[in-house]
């Protein structure tokens, strides 16, 4: 599949940039819930998806989706291909789907740990709030 347009962003190709800056720029491409949703839809698809399919699957307005697809292309996360009057999208690399899966696993683990920590506080004695303590001092 030949990409509709492939941008070579200086942020990704500048050999003088530290790797952590390049990684941070990659995460900027992921830094919006709509873009994560679009990537998840593409990751779960059995093949390329047309813009029409993405509009249906995401429930977004065309202009809104177009802006987010542009950011994803600019960050080299998706590829686009024009077929007649339609444009089809797919993940640029299968590792994008892997990254989304790892993020989900990490979030589940964080939530489980948080839930366990909250459960461990159930038996703790209640604390007197600062407001209640100062009102007690005033009434004495």
């Amino acid at each position: 599949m030949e990409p509709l347009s492939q941008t070579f962003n200086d942020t990704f190709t500048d050999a003088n940039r530290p790797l952590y800056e390049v990684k941070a720029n990659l995460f900027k491409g992921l830094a919006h819930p709509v873009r994560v949703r679009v990537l998840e839809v593409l990751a779960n698809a059995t093949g390329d998806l047309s813009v029409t399919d993405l509009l249906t699957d995401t429930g977004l307005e065309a202009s809104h989706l177009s802006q987010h697809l542009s950011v994803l292309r600019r960050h080299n996360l998706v590829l686009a291909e024009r077929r007649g009057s339609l444009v089809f999208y797919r993940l640029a690399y299968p590792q994008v789907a892997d990254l989304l899966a790892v993020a989900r696993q990490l979030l589940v683990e964080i939530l489980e740990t948080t839930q366990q920590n909250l459960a461990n506080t159930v038996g703790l004695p209640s604390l007197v709030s600062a407001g209640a303590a100062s009102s007690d001092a005033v009434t004495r």
Side-chain angles (χ1 to χ4, degrees), residues 86-132:
L86 298 176
V87 178
F88 288 80
Y89 282 87
R90 67 178 170 92
L91 295 179
Y93 302 94
Q95 293 90 337
V96 175
D98 297 340
L99 181 61
L100 294 170
V102 168
R104 177 182 288 255
Q105 292 168 349
L106 175 62
L107 288 172
V108 166
E109 191 167 329
I110 289 170
L111 290 172
E112 287 172 349
T113 301
T114 301
Q115 187 177 24
Q116 184 59 46
N117 288 341
L118 287 172
N120 291 340
T121 64
V122 170
L124 295 176
S126 59
L127 299 174
V128 176
S129 69

Side-chain angles (χ1 to χ4, degrees), residues 1 37-55 57-58 69 79-81 83 86-91:
M1 172 190 298
R37 176 68 184 133
V38 168
L39 291 172
E40 287 176 341
V41 168
L42 291 171
N44 291 321
T46 56
D48 300 350
L49 291 179
S50 69
V51 171
T52 305
D53 294 332
L54 288 170
L55 287 168
D57 288 346
T58 61
L69 288 170
L79 294 176
E81 178 186 11
R83 299 179 197 158
L86 298 176
V87 178
F88 288 80
Y89 282 87
R90 67 178 170 92
L91 295 179

Side-chain angles (χ1 to χ4, degrees), residues 5 7 9 12 26-42 54 58 60 64-80 89-93 96 100:
S5 66
T7 59
N9 190 330
F12 291 109
L26 171 68
F27 282 105
K28 286 180 187 176
L30 300 167
H32 195 284
V34 168
R35 292 195 290 271
V36 172
R37 176 68 184 133
V38 168
L39 291 172
E40 287 176 341
V41 168
L42 291 171
L54 288 170
T58 61
L60 296 171
H64 196 190
L65 177 62
S66 177
Q67 290 173 352
H68 287 290
L69 288 170
S70 175
V71 172
L72 292 170
R73 283 192 314 270
R74 193 168 49 251
H75 285 87
N76 299 308
L77 294 166
V78 298
L79 294 176
Y89 282 87
R90 67 178 170 92
L91 295 179
Y93 302 94
V96 175
L100 294 170

